[in-house]
Amino acid sequence: MKLLLVLIAAVVLTVVLGQTAWQILAQPTPVDLRELVAEAMPDSGVAHPITAVLLNFRSYDTLLEIGVLVVAGMAGLSMRAVAPLEAPAMRTSDTLLQALLRWFVPFLLVLSAYLLWAGSDRSGGAFQAGAVLGATGVLLRLGGVPLDFLRPGLMLRLGLVLGFAVFLLVAVMGAIRGDMFLAYPQEWAGLLIVVIEAALTLSIAMVLVGLFAVAPAQATERDWPSREGKR
Amino acid sequence: MMTELLLDLLLVVSLLLTALCALLAQDLFRAVVMFMAFGLLMALAWVRLQAPDIALAEAALGAGLTGVLLLDAVSHFRQSDSGAGSGESS
């Protein structure tokens, strides 16, 4: 009986979804966005259309996006006070992890920098680079390497808001110069985008590592003394 | 042409399979592993849809970091479960 209900629900859902998809596909696109972007590319300051859209034509969305990330990071970090972030006993516990760390961390750092740089003329960009940098931080954290900058303090706060602050500063500078909010001066656009992306990368990585570091710290902390006691 | 179609079909089928496995798995750890496999396959699908930027983000964020966070959450659950049963006495 239950199975029958699930089956009927699945069929109905498939039909509705299919019809919606069909209707969306049947509609002609009112504006050829590809064409529009290609026309405006010379003004954007970068050579990759997706980066141009994300950080120049629709930079308002990206600004709000990083704002949401920063707020999420702060909310996560303020949920609990974080005490020691690294378990010293973990540092020597796993030789394989240590060896991996030694190979992976430099590689990941270079990869992240490359992704950031590649964003200007091919696939890549701040979010991807930030994610890789964040993953590096998570790896370091798992290896028990002390990450002092993650302690609640000036460094953490600065790192969290750096991307948003730089972005907002550039946006407001445009408005002060008498241009529109978020309008970059044409000849500086490329440089400004790279600067913003670099700051965004740092902040995104910081938010991700921060969120990772806060949640499990409690568990390991509570867990460690008891495990030590058992030995 | 034919091989591409077959590859795409294989991708779709394996995506659906991993998604189902991730949803229906009884063991949380298995569900998370399936979710990560789903993320990686999804990245491949984005590449096939000629969206390499999204593929990069999906592989790094969707499969990598989310997977790590979920794995962490699972171990957290296990610890609190065993902690409620036996850990209290120690």
Side-chain angles (χ1 to χ4, degrees):
Chain A
M1 191 59 206
K2 205 174 163 190
L3 194 70
L4 196 70
L5 273 178
V6 170
L7 260 180
I8 292 172
V11 168
V12 169
L13 205 66
T14 314
V15 168
V16 172
L17 270 182
Q19 179 145 24
T20 320
W22 183 254
Q23 273 176 354
I24 290 171
L25 282 179
Q27 274 176 0
T29 36
V31 196
D32 190 357
L33 290 174
R34 242 175 241 247
E35 197 75 10
L36 217 59
V37 170
E39 267 172 30
M41 275 310 286
D43 302 337
S44 69
V46 285
H48 189 52
I50 291 173
T51 307
V53 169
L54 280 180
L55 279 147
N56 200 336
F57 306 147
R58 298 291 310 167
S59 49
Y60 186 55
D61 297 350
T62 313
L63 180 65
L64 292 187
E65 227 169 89
I66 184 67
V68 168
L69 260 181
V70 170
V71 170
M74 282 186 172
L77 287 171
S78 57
M79 290 298 275
R80 290 178 184 194
V82 187
L85 272 170
E86 68 281 347
M90 267 168 95
R91 206 179 304 177
T92 46
S93 62
D94 195 338
T95 43
L96 187 63
L97 187 58
Q98 291 304 311
L100 261 179
L101 272 183
R102 218 156 281 154
W103 281 96
F104 266 35
V105 169
F107 171 72
L108 282 173
L109 287 179
V110 172
L111 180 67
S112 168
Y114 166 75
L115 279 174
L116 173 62
W117 184 248
S120 59
D121 60 357
R122 66 203 85 145
S123 297
F127 280 85
Q128 287 86 344
V132 170
L133 201 59
T136 316
V138 169
L139 211 59
L140 283 174
R141 168 97 182 79
L142 286 175
V145 178
L147 300 171
D148 271 335
F149 57 87
L150 277 179
R151 283 173 203 288
L154 197 61
M155 283 294 281
L156 180 68
R157 288 177 213 172
L158 275 181
L160 277 181
V161 298
L162 181 71
F164 189 66
V166 168
F167 210 152
L168 200 62
L169 198 68
V170 171
V172 171
M173 284 304 273
I176 288 177
R177 275 175 55 261
D179 233 334
M180 297 225 302
F181 183 67
L182 267 175
Y184 311 138
Q186 187 113 6
E187 64 271 29
W188 291 80
L191 181 70
L192 281 178
I193 286 178
V194 170
V195 169
I196 291 173
E197 282 209 291
L200 282 185
T201 305
L202 268 180
S203 278
I204 291 167
M206 204 76 166
V207 169
L208 294 174
V209 180
L211 281 179
F212 178 76
V214 205
Q218 299 295 321
T220 41
E221 239 173 83
R222 227 188 299 132
D223 201 46
W224 274 106
S226 67
R227 243 188 248 178
E228 294 291 312
K230 269 173 205 164
R231 276 180 215 155
Chain B
M1 195 62 211
M2 193 63 196
T3 45
E4 279 183 16
L5 190 69
L6 275 177
L7 263 178
D8 286 352
L9 269 179
L10 189 69
L11 204 56
V12 169
V13 170
S14 41
L15 266 175
L16 286 175
L17 266 180
T18 42
L20 269 180
C21 285
L23 283 175
L24 299 178
Q26 295 290 320
D27 186 18
L28 278 180
F29 178 76
R30 181 169 296 189
V32 172
V33 170
M34 277 299 159
F35 176 80
M36 287 166 95
F38 173 82
L40 288 175
L41 286 170
M42 196 67 217
L44 275 184
W46 285 121
V47 170
R48 286 293 301 153
L49 289 169
Q50 295 173 355
D53 288 77
I54 307 180
L56 275 173
E58 173 73 43
L61 284 172
L65 269 171
T66 317
V68 170
L69 282 176
L70 286 175
L71 275 182
D72 224 40
V74 169
S75 68
H76 207 185
F77 274 137
R78 286 202 178 144
Q79 273 170 10
S80 59
D81 278 354
S82 62
S86 62
E88 297 293 319
S89 57
S90 65

